[in-house]
Amino acid sequence: AQSVAQPEDQVNVAEGNPLTVKCTYSVSGNPYLFWYVQYPNRGLQFLLKYITGDNLVKGSYGFEAEFNKSQTSFHLKKPSALVSDSALYFCAVRASQGGNNRKLIWGLGTSLAVNP
Amino acid sequence: DTGVSQDPRHKITKRGQNVTFRCDPISEHNRLYWYRQTLGQGPEFLTYFQNEAQLEKSRLLSDRFSAERPKGSFSTLEIQRTEQGDSAMYLCASSEDSINTEAFFGQGTRLTVV
């Protein structure tokens, strides 16, 4: 069965420090991996995705994520956190196989708090 | 067309009433999805359309829930005889017709059943 795990409910970092939000996945075949961010009372905004190619993908707002096939991980990173990065972050996966199945499987989210 | 729009943004209704939400996707997107999200949880898949065809419906979607996309453009989600457990954020998303493309989400409709 496909699944996504975000092992940390909350991550706290000081402004200016690097941040990492962890994500691991389980899927048959090659994964398509996505990160989204959600601000309070708002919809989800797409940050970045991994489809194929370079394991390090760069996205919006200075975020990047590294795909690690052996560890089945896709951790979200940013070299220097901003207070405005404080939000809820969701990792999602879709299997590249499976016919018409377009569903994304979502993690439960990680709340990021960046302290000034 | 700058994104996915949902209407209304907020809805408060009494238990037992019917409610209908609307979603206008990005115009060139064939795929449209409905999700439900409760506090502290990730989005739960409800249903999705390719053009006007409803291709999949979650078991979470009871008989009180129905969704349509009659002309392959906007979609509506109706909840009949609302219950307090229906209180949630209802999210709509759209995407191109390719498995490796990202979905774009609307701002959501927050439903409160009192």
Side-chain angles (χ1 to χ4, degrees):
Chain A
Q2 300 175 83
S3 66
V4 174
Q6 293 182 240
E8 300 158 316
D9 290 338
Q10 180 149 351
V11 170
N12 294 294
V13 298
E15 188 174 28
N17 282 2
L19 69 87
T20 299
V21 183
K22 296 179 180 177
C23 172
T24 59
Y25 66 89
S26 174
V27 71
S28 300
N30 294 321
Y32 296 144
L33 293 153
F34 303 82
W35 274 103
Y36 285 80
V37 61
Q38 187 175 34
Y39 297 98
N41 295 312
R42 305 290 293 274
L44 287 88
Q45 296 179 32
F46 169 74
L47 277 179
L48 51 77
K49 66 181 178 182
Y50 171 82
I51 303 299
T52 187
D54 288 342
N55 289 341
L56 185 65
V57 293
K58 294 185 183 297
S60 306
Y61 312 121
F63 284 94
E64 58 189 29
E66 186 167 12
F67 171 62
N68 187 317
K69 188 172 184 178
S70 62
Q71 296 185 3
T72 62
S73 68
F74 190 56
H75 300 332
L76 181 71
K77 300 181 180 183
K78 188 172 182 180
S80 178
L82 299 172
V83 172
S84 58
D85 293 329
S86 300
L88 198 53
Y89 290 81
F90 289 96
C91 180
V93 68
R94 179 187 289 140
S96 59
Q97 301 167 356
N100 263 342
N101 186 345
R102 304 290 194 213
K103 287 187 299 186
L104 282 170
I105 306 301
W106 295 84
L108 293 181
T110 298
S111 178
L112 172 67
V114 181
N115 307 307
Chain B
D1 187 343
T2 57
V4 179
S5 63
Q6 292 187 246
D7 183 69
R9 291 289 308 276
H10 304 276
K11 178 72 177 179
I12 300 174
T13 191
K14 291 184 178 179
R15 189 172 47 188
Q17 297 295 304
N18 299 344
V19 294
T20 300
F21 309 141
R22 177 180 170 123
C23 171
D24 287 89
I26 293 172
S27 57
E28 60 266 27
H29 285 178
N30 293 332
R31 301 273 174 165
L32 186 147
Y33 312 81
W34 284 100
Y35 290 88
R36 179 171 65 189
Q37 186 181 24
T38 53
L39 198 62
Q41 301 294 316
E44 295 176 293
F45 171 79
L46 294 178
T47 189
Y48 88 95
F49 294 83
Q50 180 177 353
N51 300 314
E52 66 276 8
Q54 188 174 18
L55 294 187
E56 188 169 351
K57 192 173 172 180
S58 167
R59 283 171 290 182
L60 291 173
L61 223 60
S62 75
D63 291 343
R64 297 184 296 105
F65 287 71
S66 62
E68 294 182 342
R69 195 183 182 196
K71 298 182 180 178
S73 56
F74 73 92
S75 175
T76 58
L77 177 69
E78 182 183 15
I79 309 174
Q80 296 181 328
R81 305 181 303 281
T82 52
E83 302 172 356
Q84 285 189 320
D86 298 331
S87 296
M89 176 78 88
Y90 289 84
L91 298 168
C92 176
S94 69
S95 73
E96 296 175 349
D97 189 16
S98 175
I99 195 170
N100 62 6
T101 59
E102 60 274 22
F104 292 86
F105 283 79
Q107 303 279 43
T109 294
R110 180 165 293 285
L111 173 67
T112 303
V113 182
V114 296

